[in-house]
Amino acid sequence: MEQDNKNLQNKRLLILGSTPNLAGVVQTAQEMGIYVLVTDFKKLEEAPAKQIADEYADISLADIDAVVQYIKDKKVDGVLTGFSDSYLSYYREICEKAGLPCYGDAHTFDIATDKMCFQQACDGSGVTTIPGTNAYTYEEALAFAGKNGYPLMLKPADNAGSRGVIKCESEAELPDAYAYALSYSPSKNVICQKFMACDGIGISYQLIDGKAYLSSICDRVNYYSEEEESYITGDLIYPSKYTDRYVREMDEAVKEMLKKNGFRHGMLSLQSFVDEDGFYMCEMCYRPSGGHHYLLIDDQNGIDSLKLLIEFAVTGSVKDYNADNETPYFPEYCGMTHLIGRPGEVVAVSEGFEELAKREGVIEVVQDIVPGGTIGKGGTTLQVVGTVWFKAPDIETLCQRANSFPKVLRIENAQGKSLIKTRYFTESRAVD
């Protein structure tokens, strides 16, 4: 769907944050004819979004009043952020104080950023979730394990990017596992859940004026970090082999949950496990996410969810949305693959991304690390050195293309050692 951007010309958008992902938002908004400003506390050389913005400031997002004054001084029409739950509370408060459109509110953002709030919202609407509980103390975690057995998954209630997520196999491992998850929780709240030894899927919805439209369903492939004994998403495959079942068994219940809890605008995605008995929701993302599922939706269905979100930010509404084009049944196979790096290594060479972007079937490439950067902690998204979104006419070709990507890149340390971990993208959704 080609959007008519005449009503957006000369609009002014402030982006909160300056990360590489937000630089993509800046570029998209500029392509729509919008004047883009960026602010946060980062220095220009560390802020890719500032480097391409039409204008920038060095005001911290936490300084709400100063940001609101900047909005007034610069006659900003809208505000937007993404890719980090930690920005959402600032975004909401800034929009409220400046009197500008905000796609969410305190209640919906609480559901999206607090895993137990999400579980309560699901439970109140007949949406099944993973058996779990809050554990503010080790004793509460131990009590849950005593009732539900091992293995368990422990995760901070209020963090993202798989930070602090760890599998616990036994009572002997529980003290260290609990301490690890707790260290990543600002509110000192750990979620203890039954470990789901079954397939996982990702689901996305587009929200237009309070109505939810199912946009995509993918199969999730986890990468397991042996160093940290934790998982991150390694690959995504669209459409999911569970698409028919999800539409039949869960779609209406999830839409009712979203309506009941006041979700009205924007894009959201959910993670769920699935076995022969049903689906088990585990968390929600209510913002543009690192999975960039909107790239594939745009390529396959002609609906650019990011542009819709930008349009809402500067006008308070969305024009010309065609719900008939929204479908999780993509005409082609699509995938996303994370290139996983070796934790703790300093990158000396990071080359080949431009060549990779030109390969057949590649839709988008993001370089997640540059020379001089250090690959982050194992078992978190900071371990990702590059991400590719791509498509193919059949699943076999999709797998072949994915497995060729690491050979195009040179990501090495100062000694010339490759820092990309060997993985295989397969139809069976297997890893390593």
Side-chain angles (χ1 to χ4, degrees):
M1 178 183 68
E2 190 66 30
Q3 289 170 286
D4 181 0
N5 294 328
K6 292 180 181 179
N7 65 320
L8 306 180
Q9 301 301 308
N10 302 317
K11 292 288 187 181
R12 298 167 71 87
L13 175 68
L14 175 64
I15 301 294
L16 304 178
S18 60
T19 64
N21 277 323
L22 286 167
V25 180
V26 172
Q27 185 175 11
T28 298
Q30 290 171 332
E31 292 169 356
M32 297 167 70
I34 296 172
Y35 187 91
V36 184
L37 305 91
V38 172
T39 190
D40 66 7
F41 63 84
K42 292 182 180 178
K43 297 178 181 178
L44 182 62
E45 59 270 22
E46 300 171 351
K50 289 183 179 180
Q51 293 168 17
I52 63 171
D54 296 296
E55 194 171 340
Y56 73 88
D58 296 322
I59 307 169
S60 168
L61 308 189
D63 193 346
I64 304 293
D65 290 337
V67 175
V68 171
Q69 186 60 51
Y70 182 71
I71 288 169
K72 292 178 180 178
D73 293 343
K74 296 296 180 178
K75 296 180 171 56
V76 168
D77 298 292
V79 179
L80 193 58
T81 191
F83 307 102
S84 174
D85 285 347
S86 63
Y87 295 168
L88 291 179
S89 62
Y90 300 131
Y91 161 67
R92 178 184 61 79
E93 190 171 351
I94 288 167
C95 287
E96 288 179 356
K97 286 196 172 184
L100 295 175
C102 182
Y103 67 83
D105 58 26
H107 179 64
T108 54
F109 284 147
D110 279 348
I111 292 171
T113 57
D114 187 303
K115 294 177 178 63
M116 286 310 296
C117 287
F118 173 68
Q119 180 170 322
Q120 290 163 5
C122 288
D123 292 346
S125 302
V127 177
T128 50
T129 58
I130 304 171
T133 188
N134 283 313
Y136 290 96
T137 66
Y138 169 76
E139 288 71 24
E140 289 173 308
L142 184 62
F144 178 80
K147 292 180 181 179
N148 293 272
Y150 295 91
L152 302 175
M153 287 298 289
L154 283 76
K155 57 186 73 174
D158 44 5
N159 212 319
S162 297
R163 296 172 181 83
V165 178
I166 188 168
K167 182 182 179 183
C168 178
E169 298 277 4
S170 67
E171 186 172 329
E173 296 179 1
L174 188 57
D176 288 344
Y178 181 81
Y180 175 78
L182 188 69
S183 69
Y184 282 86
S185 173
S187 64
K188 299 304 175 186
N189 179 13
V190 171
I191 305 299
C192 294
Q193 293 178 328
K194 175 183 176 182
F195 178 78
M196 304 300 292
C198 55
D199 290 343
I201 63 171
I203 311 104
S204 71
Y205 287 88
Q206 178 67 53
L207 294 161
I208 303 290
D209 294 328
K211 188 167 183 178
Y213 300 91
L214 181 59
S215 300
S216 69
I217 308 177
C218 64
D219 292 320
R220 302 177 63 87
V221 180
N222 284 331
Y223 168 76
Y224 177 67
S225 169
E226 293 183 356
E227 300 94 344
E228 301 294 338
E229 298 183 337
S230 59
Y231 297 83
I232 60 172
T233 298
D235 309 306
L236 304 176
I237 300 175
Y238 299 76
S240 168
K241 60 187 175 184
Y242 295 105
T243 298
D244 287 344
R245 270 192 63 194
Y246 181 87
V247 171
R248 187 172 60 250
E249 298 177 19
M250 284 292 288
D251 183 41
E252 288 304 319
V254 171
K255 287 177 178 175
E256 180 60 29
M257 182 270 287
L258 297 174
K259 180 179 179 180
K260 181 177 179 180
N261 285 282
F263 288 88
R264 293 191 51 78
H265 308 286
M267 66 174 82
L268 64 82
S269 52
L270 306 104
Q271 291 186 29
S272 177
F273 290 95
V274 55
D275 62 18
E276 63 276 7
D277 295 322
F279 294 84
Y280 309 88
M281 291 290 173
C282 57
E283 61 185 29
M284 173 192 289
C285 176
Y286 191 27
R287 53 174 169 74
S289 71
H292 292 206
H293 59 275
Y294 50 85
L295 295 172
L296 303 179
I297 295 168
D298 184 28
D299 183 83
Q300 295 293 296
N301 297 341
I303 297 173
D304 192 324
S305 300
L306 182 58
K307 287 185 177 180
L308 294 176
L309 193 62
I310 292 169
E311 181 183 1
F312 179 85
V314 295
T315 69
S317 64
V318 169
K319 294 176 61 179
D320 302 324
Y321 173 75
N322 187 351
D324 293 338
N325 290 348
E326 200 82 81
T327 175
Y329 294 97
F330 289 176
E332 297 174 280
Y333 283 93
C334 293
M336 182 217 75
T337 186
H338 281 321
L339 303 170
I340 307 295
R342 301 185 181 279
E345 291 273 6
V346 177
V347 175
V349 177
S350 182
E351 299 177 349
F353 287 94
E354 291 184 3
E355 180 184 347
L356 182 54
K358 298 175 183 176
R359 292 179 72 88
E360 185 176 5
V362 171
I363 297 168
E364 185 73 45
V365 175
V366 168
Q367 180 177 353
D368 291 291
I369 198 162
V370 296
T374 301
I375 298 172
K377 191 175 182 64
T380 75
T381 52
L382 300 176
Q383 194 179 359
V384 176
V385 296
T387 308
V388 189
W389 293 264
F390 57 106
K391 62 183 177 180
D394 54 68
I395 191 68
E396 292 80 10
T397 305
L398 192 78
C399 296
Q400 290 169 7
R401 288 178 178 172
N403 291 326
S404 73
F405 296 155
K407 301 171 187 176
V408 181
L409 300 180
R410 282 185 63 210
I411 300 179
E412 301 172 351
N413 63 15
Q415 291 73 45
K417 176 184 177 183
S418 175
L419 301 181
I420 301 177
K421 287 206 165 195
T422 301
R423 299 171 54 250
Y424 298 99
F425 190 106
T426 70
E427 181 181 359
S428 64
R429 282 63 161 173
V431 291
D432 280 355

